[in-house]
Amino acid sequence: MRMMMAAMIVVALMLTGAASRGDVTVTQIVNLKDAQDDFAAARYQDCLKKITSVLGLSTTTPMDRAELLSLRAECLLAQKQGALSADAFAAASSAYATAKDSKGAATAKGTSLLIKASQDYAYTPRTGDKTPLPIID
């Protein structure tokens, strides 16, 4: 009981100290879900701002960091910023690897390579039907 009370006091003091420095306020605290909601509503600039604020927190878990970087890459791709998006997917791949998620790492790395191999946001297969395939909607 004492440990729990001590932990709550420490958290309250940390939030109070951060708020007094202007780092964060209770109304500014956002999470991955808030950023995903903005992405789903095509509010990419708002989503990118929230991602940046969450990535700046020291409490971000490795998996959350990977998902945030991947979401950042998706936002950049939706805004047709291909080079930045490819770099963000590469960073997400490294973050997924750190979080021990090999499937996420492979998907992010593959998406980065696909963006780099595409021209005008369409990938043209080297064999078979050479009709360009759009990589964004």
Side-chain angles (χ1 to χ4, degrees):
M1 183 72 166
R2 284 187 178 183
M3 290 297 288
M4 185 175 219
M5 184 62 105
M8 289 191 313
I9 291 171
V10 168
V11 169
L13 289 173
M14 288 172 46
L15 284 176
T16 303
S20 67
R21 289 191 314 267
D23 294 343
V24 66
T25 62
V26 175
T27 57
Q28 291 174 325
I29 296 175
V30 295
N31 59 29
L32 177 59
K33 174 91 172 80
D34 294 333
Q36 289 170 332
D37 290 343
D38 281 342
F39 180 80
R43 294 188 303 260
Y44 304 120
Q45 288 298 323
D46 292 338
C47 183
L48 288 169
K49 288 176 188 175
K50 289 178 181 174
I51 290 169
T52 301
S53 69
V54 175
L55 283 174
L57 299 174
S58 61
T59 58
T60 306
T61 66
M63 185 53 110
D64 282 348
R65 181 172 175 73
E67 290 178 9
L68 286 163
L69 289 170
S70 186
L71 187 58
R72 178 177 184 266
E74 291 284 352
C75 284
L76 292 169
L77 184 59
Q79 293 180 323
K80 296 190 176 184
Q81 297 181 25
L84 292 174
S85 178
D87 291 345
F89 272 117
S93 177
S94 296
Y96 277 118
T98 300
K100 309 255 188 281
D101 180 355
S102 58
K103 183 178 178 183
T107 300
K109 181 67 173 175
T111 306
S112 174
L113 293 172
L114 178 65
I115 293 167
K116 290 177 182 178
S118 300
Q119 292 182 359
D120 296 324
Y121 302 98
Y123 175 75
T124 304
R126 293 183 182 179
T127 60
D129 185 11
K130 297 196 180 221
T131 303
L133 305 169
I135 61 170
I136 57 175
D137 295 327

